[in-house]
Amino acid sequence: MNILFVADPLEVFKTYKDTTFSMMREAQRRGHRISACEPRHLSWRSGGLVHADVREIALTGTEEEWFQVQRTERRALRDFDAVLMRKDPPFDTEFFYATHMLEQAQREGAKVFNRPSALRDHPEKLAILEFPQFVSPTLVTRSADEVREFHAEHGDIILKPLDGMGGMGIFRVGPDGLNLGSIIETLNHHGATTIMVQRFVPEIIHGDKRVLVIGGKVAPFCLARIPQGTEVRGNLAAGGKGVAQPISERDREIAETVGPLLAERGLLLVGLDVIGDCLTEINVTSPTAFQEITNQTGFDVPAMFVDALEEAVDRDRTVI
């Protein structure tokens, strides 16, 4: 296959942990060709096709100069066997516009994973609303009064912005309500911005688990991101410690309910965040944790992903 990765600049990849890099490495190992571009390189002109300025690359196997550019060219996205949208969050207006460009490319014949419309339809915080049976008590609102009522009912709560990533902007407020008003103002901008509030789940001390669903199938291991010191956030970007472990029966129940449904909608790769028994987030933009799980358990997550990608491309060819 000839695969195009739409991602962040290659020069900023941290290859020792980057999931997109691990996908590229496995794809190259199987003999697939790899190209890369950024969302800013996408363009379309009336009467033509969605194109991108792409770099075909070869991985070198070294850390410092980890890729070599074989050629740089302008190509239509439909000329690739698969286009992988792997741009990291945040899901801002430019990401939104990129999904529309990719959707146009899809109409022209490109095979895009994850499906652009599915990326738009599943905002990572709000997607859990479809599965209330797995969610801890949750409030989505702009209203400061509703937040205060929710706090009065549950006592210990988490507040977070809907567009955050890596634990950014997450606050915990305990029964004393200390700084609740200031935190609400900071997050909802005096009622102008919608926020999410959830009852605090004390099982966070055992980790915020990333459960991977690939092609509708559940990976047998997850990555528990465990908060360190006085930190309440388990996100690796916030200093959490990543510990790979077998998924629990509850993890499997959640993933086997949610995963196949999302796969049918065009989400080849999904990362579910689970704290205790509760689903807290559904990650679809660029789910990670491949290398951590593989290195700690020996289970080859990149191989599972490329297997699913090859199957999806072959299935599309059969349908066509």
Side-chain angles (χ1 to χ4, degrees):
M1 290 195 301
N2 196 355
I3 305 171
L4 173 64
F5 289 83
V6 182
D8 289 299
L10 300 179
E11 289 76 11
V12 304
F13 277 33
K14 297 178 180 178
T15 57
Y16 67 93
K17 67 175 185 177
D18 192 280
T19 287
T20 303
F21 168 75
S22 73
M23 294 174 176
M24 292 177 170
R25 182 172 56 191
E26 176 62 18
Q28 178 172 286
R29 188 188 69 79
R30 299 185 186 203
H32 301 312
R33 294 167 60 190
I34 302 167
S35 296
C37 72
E38 301 167 37
R40 66 188 178 93
H41 295 135
L42 300 173
S43 66
W44 177 87
R45 178 177 293 185
S46 57
L49 304 171
V50 176
H51 282 73
D53 296 317
V54 307
R55 293 185 288 178
E56 183 175 339
I57 63 172
L59 277 56
T60 65
T62 63
E63 289 188 13
E64 293 185 1
E65 302 270 342
W66 66 270
F67 70 93
Q68 291 179 341
V69 178
Q70 305 298 295
R71 65 180 58 83
T72 301
E73 58 186 340
R74 187 169 178 76
R75 294 192 62 180
L77 268 62
R78 75 174 186 183
D79 291 343
F80 292 90
D81 296 294
V83 177
L84 300 185
M85 178 51 162
R86 288 290 303 171
K87 174 70 177 70
D88 284 344
F91 193 111
D92 55 14
T93 53
E94 286 301 325
F95 191 106
F96 179 79
Y97 299 149
T99 66
H100 281 288
M101 295 285 280
L102 291 170
E103 191 166 20
Q104 174 60 27
Q106 195 172 53
R107 285 190 287 267
E108 297 165 357
K111 301 175 182 66
V112 184
F113 307 93
N114 284 328
R115 185 178 296 161
S117 59
L119 290 175
R120 294 196 303 272
D121 289 345
H122 297 82
E124 300 187 331
K125 301 289 193 300
L126 293 178
I128 64 171
L129 274 59
E130 185 177 354
F131 308 99
Q133 69 271 37
F134 299 130
V135 177
S136 67
T138 296
L139 169 69
V140 179
T141 186
R142 293 188 187 188
S143 168
D145 289 340
E146 284 194 280
V147 175
R148 292 190 178 93
E149 291 170 6
F150 189 87
H151 176 260
E153 178 181 358
H154 296 288
D156 200 350
I157 63 173
I158 293 289
L159 303 92
K160 52 189 175 183
L162 296 180
D163 60 353
M165 58 174 288
M168 180 185 67
I170 292 179
F171 293 89
R172 178 184 178 185
V173 177
D176 59 9
L178 188 64
N179 283 331
L180 178 59
S182 178
I183 291 169
I184 294 172
E185 292 169 5
T186 298
L187 292 179
N188 84 342
H189 301 99
H190 300 279
T193 304
T194 304
I195 64 173
M196 176 173 282
V197 191
Q198 295 178 305
R199 185 179 67 189
F200 176 70
V201 182
E203 287 84 357
I204 185 63
I205 62 171
H206 302 301
D208 179 356
K209 294 174 287 184
R210 168 60 55 82
V211 179
L212 296 171
V213 184
I214 301 172
K217 299 177 182 178
V218 186
F221 296 91
C222 66
L223 186 71
R225 297 156 298 176
I226 302 172
Q228 300 297 294
T230 59
E231 182 59 70
V232 71
R233 300 168 298 173
N235 308 76
L236 300 183
K241 179 181 179 181
V243 178
Q245 60 189 36
I247 62 173
S248 69
E249 287 303 313
R250 177 62 169 179
D251 298 338
R252 183 174 294 280
E253 177 190 3
I254 294 172
E256 289 185 346
T257 301
V258 175
L261 177 62
L262 299 184
E264 290 177 1
R265 298 174 184 173
L267 294 168
L268 182 70
L269 172 60
V270 174
L272 306 177
D273 288 350
V274 180
I275 301 176
D277 290 337
C278 299
L279 176 66
T280 62
E281 194 165 321
I282 298 175
N283 296 270
V284 300
T285 50
S286 60
T288 60
F290 279 30
Q291 293 207 60
E292 293 88 346
I293 292 173
T294 299
N295 292 340
Q296 293 183 40
T297 69
F299 178 79
D300 197 333
V301 185
M304 181 181 179
F305 175 78
V306 178
D307 283 344
L309 178 64
E310 291 172 342
E311 291 173 11
V313 171
D314 287 343
R315 184 167 57 248
D316 284 353
R317 285 174 178 159
T318 301
V319 171
I320 293 171

